[in-house]
């Protein structure tokens, strides 16, 4: 007759085997272009490489401790699994496919530049995974913090090789605000490619008041990155977003709203969109006077951040990572969406272009946008789907996700040991 301890041990092993089987299941669902979700294969491979060694640790460990560790591993995996599983829901799948396309367009410039660095370690993370949440604002989980057991789960989550980007559920019915995904991807880029140290050193060498910048580097970089990714579609949407709380940011790590607007206006100008930058400044100064005019003393530092060659990107500056897309073309694309007209010559019907165009269309003419929202939204989904490649995204060659996952697995084990 078996003892309670033996049965408990057997149950622990069965649960570990069950989680391993679920990892196998998702590897199969993303295996190749014929699978349901091929875009997520490198993400799932990296997660598998991170978590499967921990299951071996659970099987070999002391049962009581292993039971606690398995529960933490299960919770971490289920967060990612739940995000993946949202793609089975027919009501949200089209939006998430579009959001994944847009997030990928925002992440790819960094990945492409990093690949050019000889003998460099692969990035710490695969492309971020977008999912819908109950929260009112977009967020990248890598920036979150909490107490108690949730803090442990959050630390494990942040050590995984796939960052999560959460979007408010209601954005699945309102495309314009999803352009703010570009900001969240900026957080992921800064973390995955290890740019914070290099940029912090750059600021300390070149900028008066460097402490202010380094204390807010994550948010500043994310705003600059979002503007480079999505141009005035991002810039005007962010300005409208922060205008809701013009007197202060949610925490000290954010610049105050008028400074955020100034930063994105300067970024537009440095990217060659001087007219859009001037329009953004005039809009803010005219409509949100209580917060004070946007300052004009930030541009030298913005220029430094955008034009200084970065070792992490093979000596390329941030501005060089993005193709020059005239602001006039983005505006013409947004007008074509509003008028249900053919896209202008030179416009690309990809998520990376259509999402910013939809955001700009709403900003310019919210009434007209509302009148055509159903047709416009369906068109954006349809056109972006035609442009979409069903192939595997993320790191190449094929062993890179496994290497990133293995490094993450070591970090996860160290965290478990520290508790």
């Amino acid at each position: 007759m078996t003892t309670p301890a033996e049965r408990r041990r057997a149950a622990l092993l069965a649960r570990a085997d069950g989680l391993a089987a679920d990892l196998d299941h998702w590897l199969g669902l993303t295996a190749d272009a014929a699978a349901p979700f091929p875009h997520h294969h490198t993400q799932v491979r990296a997660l598998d490489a991170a978590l499967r060694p921990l299951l071996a640790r659970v099987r070999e460990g002391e049962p009581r401790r292993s039971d606690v560790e398995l529960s933490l591993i299960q919770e971490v995996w289920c967060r990612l699994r739940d995000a993946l599983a949202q793609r089975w829901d027919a009501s949200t799948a089209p939006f998430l496919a579009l959001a994944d396309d847009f997030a990928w367009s925002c992440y790819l410039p960094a990945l492409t530049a990093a690949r050019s660095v000889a003998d460099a370690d692969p990035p710490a993370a695969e492309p971020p995974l977008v999912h819908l949440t109950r929260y009112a604002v977009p967020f990248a989980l890598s920036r979150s913090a909490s107490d108690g057991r949730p803090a442990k789960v959050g630390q494990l989550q942040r050590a995984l090789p796939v960052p999560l980007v959460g979007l408010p559920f209601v954005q699945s019915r309102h495309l314009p605000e999803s352009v703010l995904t570009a900001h969240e991807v900026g957080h992921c880029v800064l973390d995955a490619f290890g740019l914070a140290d290099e940029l912090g050193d750059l600021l300390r060498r070149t900028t008066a008041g460097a402490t202010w910048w380094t204390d807010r580097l994550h948010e500043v970089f994310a705003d600059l990155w979002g503007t480079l990714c999505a141009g005035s579609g991002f810039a005007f949407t962010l300005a409208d977003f922060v205008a809701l709380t013009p007197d202060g940011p949610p925490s000290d790590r954010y610049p105050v709203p008028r400074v955020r607007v100034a930063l994105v206006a300067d970024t537009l100008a440095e990217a060659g969109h001087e007219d859009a930058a001037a329009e953004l400044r005039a809009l803010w100064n005219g409509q949100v006077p209580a917060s004070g005019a946007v300052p004009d003393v930030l541009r030298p530092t913005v220029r430094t951040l955008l034009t200084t060659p970065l070792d992490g990107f093979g000596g390329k500056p941030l501005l060089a990572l993005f193709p020059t897309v005239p602001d006039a073309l983005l505006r013409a694309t947004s007008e074509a969406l509003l008028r249900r007209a053919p896209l202008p010559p030179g416009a690309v019907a990809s998520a990376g272009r259509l999402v910013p165009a939809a955001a700009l269309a709403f900003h310019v003419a919210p009434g007209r946008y509302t009148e055509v929202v159903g047709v416009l939204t369906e068109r954006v989904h349809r056109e972006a789907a035609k442009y979409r490649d069903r192939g595997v995204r993320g790191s190449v060659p094929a062993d890179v996700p496994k290497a990133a996952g293995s490094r993450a697995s070591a970090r996860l084990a160290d965290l478990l040991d520290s508790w």
Side-chain angles (χ1 to χ4, degrees):
M1 179 178 294
T2 58
T3 66
E6 290 171 333
R7 289 193 295 275
R8 187 66 178 167
R9 176 73 176 172
L12 175 69
L13 296 176
R15 296 201 307 279
D17 290 345
L19 202 156
D22 199 53
L23 288 169
D24 290 336
H25 172 68
W26 279 96
L27 285 169
L29 290 176
T30 64
D32 51 44
F37 308 114
H39 303 330
H40 303 294
H41 183 59
T42 61
Q43 293 165 319
V44 176
R45 283 198 66 205
L47 290 168
D48 179 75
L51 296 177
R52 201 173 292 264
L54 301 184
L55 297 180
R57 167 193 174 108
V58 163
R59 294 185 182 98
E60 297 166 2
E62 186 274 323
R64 187 181 298 274
R65 180 178 179 85
S66 290
D67 190 68
V68 173
E69 291 187 357
L70 180 58
S71 70
L72 290 168
I73 297 165
Q74 170 185 285
E75 187 168 344
V76 168
W77 164 241
C78 281
R79 287 189 181 186
L80 274 296
R81 189 192 194 283
D82 289 348
L84 287 164
Q86 288 182 354
R87 285 141 183 84
W88 283 120
D89 187 336
S91 69
T92 56
F95 172 79
L96 286 170
L98 181 73
D100 283 330
D101 288 346
F102 181 61
W104 172 236
S105 76
C106 296
Y107 192 81
L108 181 59
L111 184 61
T112 301
R115 287 171 178 163
S116 70
V117 182
D119 301 322
D121 289 334
E126 291 299 297
L129 181 64
V130 180
H131 67 125
L132 297 169
T133 78
R134 68 184 186 275
Y135 298 106
V137 296
F139 66 93
L141 189 138
S142 60
R143 313 309 316 153
S144 67
S146 52
D147 299 318
R149 178 186 173 90
K152 292 183 178 180
V153 175
Q155 289 182 60
L156 294 171
Q157 187 85 58
R158 290 189 291 276
L160 288 177
V162 177
L164 277 174
V165 167
L167 301 182
F169 176 82
V170 292
Q171 285 187 3
S172 65
R173 300 293 192 271
H174 182 58
L175 288 183
E177 287 184 356
S178 65
V179 76
L180 298 178
T181 302
H183 171 100
E184 305 307 331
V185 175
H187 284 306
C188 301
V189 166
L190 191 70
D191 290 342
F193 297 92
L195 298 177
D197 289 343
E198 184 174 4
L199 290 174
D201 289 343
L202 171 65
L203 290 167
R204 284 185 284 272
R205 292 196 315 269
T206 62
T207 304
T211 300
W212 183 93
W213 290 89
T214 55
D215 286 349
R216 295 160 180 80
L217 177 58
H218 280 271
E219 298 302 332
V220 168
F221 180 88
D223 282 346
L224 268 58
W225 190 264
T227 308
L228 293 175
C229 290
S232 57
F234 173 86
F236 284 102
T237 302
L238 179 70
D240 287 344
F241 193 79
V242 299
L244 296 174
T245 55
D247 295 326
S251 78
D252 291 341
R253 73 170 183 263
Y254 288 86
V256 295
R258 66 188 180 90
V259 172
R260 293 186 71 181
V261 173
L263 290 169
V264 298
D266 288 341
T267 304
L268 284 174
E270 289 297 320
H273 310 312
E274 289 278 6
D275 289 346
E279 181 184 344
L280 177 60
R281 289 179 180 278
L283 177 72
W284 181 271
N285 293 341
Q287 295 188 2
V288 197
S291 69
V294 295
D296 58 4
V297 297
L298 305 173
R299 190 163 175 177
T301 302
V302 171
R303 182 181 297 122
T304 296
L305 289 170
L306 295 179
T307 62
T308 301
L310 299 176
D311 292 340
F313 288 150
K316 296 178 181 177
L318 294 179
L319 270 181
L321 306 186
F322 296 86
T324 300
V325 179
D327 188 65
L329 181 58
L330 179 62
R331 290 172 185 267
T333 302
S334 70
E335 182 64 21
L337 293 177
L338 288 171
R339 292 191 292 109
R340 310 185 206 183
L343 296 182
V348 177
S350 67
R353 296 289 177 260
L354 293 178
V355 170
L360 190 59
F362 180 78
H363 168 79
V364 170
R368 291 173 61 198
Y369 185 97
T370 302
E371 291 174 359
V372 300
V373 60
V375 173
L376 186 152
T377 301
E378 182 181 348
R379 181 183 184 184
V380 169
H381 284 304
R382 184 177 65 251
E383 296 289 348
K386 291 178 184 177
Y387 198 86
R388 184 178 302 140
D389 181 358
R390 277 191 60 80
V392 171
R393 295 173 178 165
S395 299
V396 290
D399 60 345
V400 170
K402 183 176 181 180
S406 296
R407 294 197 305 275
S409 186
R411 294 194 297 272
L412 292 165
D414 287 342
L415 284 171
L416 293 172
D417 286 338
S418 70
W419 299 328

